[in-house]
Amino acid sequence: MIIEEPVIELAYTYDGTLEGLFSAIFATYANHEQPLDVAPESVFQPRLGQEVRFIETNQEWAQRVARGIISAGKQGSFQAVRKASTSSDPQMGTIVYRFVRKLMKERRYLLNQLSDPVVGELFRLVRAVDNECEKMRQFVRFSHLDNGGWFAVCNPRDNVIPLVMNWFVARFNDQPFAIYDEVHHLAGVYEGRSWYLVSTDHIPAPAYSSEEDLMQEAWRLFYRTLSIDARYNPELRRQHMPVRLWKNLTEMQETLPTALVPARP
């Protein structure tokens, strides 16, 4: 009787950074291998019998892959890959890897080929990340600190703080501020000249300015005053203002003191 050897499926894991992902993609070429899965080590669930290899981040490899993406598919392809890499989709690494392999093979701009399943999957991630960026631009709420700066806590689904910091800096360039993503444990910090990222699992409780409570009450009062009871539509509100974000929205916190609640006719 002939016993066939089992087929060992291969997976590459990396540290979760864009540089780590690019390093893993480079390793597939260097090792002449085509892994079934490419994923951050922290979230990867191996298949039964799958061989898993962790790829160390190599900055030189990462830069070569980045240059290759730009050369093959122009700057737009690189930006699409960068956006997609911030997605929380568990298949993100594999989707980006397959797109880059296809891009390197065909050496042409592919983002207009949405009927192609490889390109379509990447575009799906990019669109979802763009939507999450827009939600952050709409629903980040800053609080004034006693040192004159501003601080906000958010809980985005995707790791989009690096993508939205330029937008906030362009609009608040004369005010130091920090935005902390409590889901991905990442803070974007702007001190007046340039911004940078800080990875941390804990943010000390900030000291708020003396008027912060009053300003938050005023904002909640404004929010309630503008509402029209006859047009109250909770389903539509949940659609445009996802419930998962409410915990960090000033207007959705505790109700106003009775003295501040506007009278209804």
Side-chain angles (χ1 to χ4, degrees):
M1 182 176 63
I2 300 176
I3 301 178
E4 295 183 354
E5 291 292 329
V7 176
I8 302 299
E9 296 177 341
L10 180 62
Y12 279 10
T13 61
Y14 60 97
D15 62 4
T17 65
L18 178 60
E19 292 81 5
L21 174 56
F22 283 176
S23 297
I25 293 174
F26 184 93
T28 67
Y29 289 95
N31 298 335
H32 303 286
E33 295 174 332
Q34 296 190 32
L36 184 63
D37 299 302
V38 176
E41 183 183 37
S42 60
V43 300
F44 180 62
Q45 296 292 327
R47 304 167 191 263
L48 183 64
Q50 190 170 37
E51 179 183 348
V52 180
R53 298 180 189 171
F54 178 76
I55 306 299
E56 296 283 351
T57 298
N58 184 305
Q59 294 296 333
E60 181 182 352
W61 290 2
Q63 291 174 9
R64 288 180 63 177
V65 171
R67 290 195 296 268
I69 293 172
I70 295 172
S71 175
K74 302 181 180 179
Q75 187 69 31
S77 297
F78 176 79
Q79 292 302 329
V81 167
R82 178 171 176 256
K83 282 185 180 181
S85 71
T86 68
S87 171
S88 60
D89 190 302
Q91 295 297 314
M92 174 275 296
T94 304
I95 291 171
V96 171
Y97 157 66
R98 291 173 178 170
F99 174 80
V100 173
R101 294 280 303 207
K102 183 178 181 64
L103 181 67
M104 296 299 189
K105 180 180 179 180
E106 300 192 14
R107 309 292 301 180
R108 62 188 179 91
Y109 186 79
L110 297 175
L111 294 177
N112 54 1
Q113 308 294 322
L114 299 184
S115 60
D116 185 289
V118 172
V119 180
E121 280 293 281
L122 185 90
F123 182 78
R124 176 179 64 82
L125 295 186
V126 171
R127 183 172 57 184
V129 168
D130 279 339
N131 289 338
E132 197 68 7
C133 287
E134 182 60 26
K135 288 182 174 63
M136 291 301 99
R137 289 189 284 265
Q138 293 179 25
F139 298 123
V140 165
R141 300 289 184 260
F142 287 96
S143 296
H144 198 202
L145 306 179
D146 64 357
N147 63 5
W150 298 83
F151 179 69
V153 178
C154 61
N155 55 316
R157 179 180 53 211
D158 304 314
N159 189 12
V160 296
I161 291 299
L163 301 180
V164 299
M165 280 299 294
N166 281 335
W167 187 89
F168 283 103
V169 168
R171 284 150 183 80
F172 309 118
N173 54 69
D174 61 341
Q175 300 287 337
F177 67 85
I179 306 174
Y180 179 60
D181 176 353
E182 62 182 3
V183 176
H184 303 92
H185 309 290
L186 187 69
V189 181
Y190 175 69
E191 294 182 340
R193 292 186 178 180
S194 61
W195 63 268
Y196 55 91
L197 299 173
V198 177
S199 180
T200 177
D201 292 333
H202 175 68
I203 292 289
Y208 294 107
S209 65
S210 57
E211 76 274 8
E212 179 58 27
D213 285 343
L214 181 61
M215 292 302 298
Q216 290 192 14
E217 291 177 355
W219 175 248
R220 286 190 288 266
L221 177 60
F222 173 77
Y223 180 80
R224 287 180 59 99
T225 302
L226 287 184
S227 67
I228 302 174
D229 289 345
R231 296 185 178 180
Y232 179 63
N233 188 332
E235 182 177 347
L236 184 62
R237 180 171 69 171
R238 288 192 296 269
Q239 178 181 341
H240 292 288
M241 183 189 289
V243 175
R244 61 186 170 85
L245 302 177
W246 288 10
K247 59 180 292 189
N248 291 313
L249 295 181
T250 304
E251 61 269 33
M252 304 305 294
Q253 302 308 308
E254 71 275 3
T255 57
L256 290 168
T258 304
L260 292 176
V261 177
R264 294 289 186 181

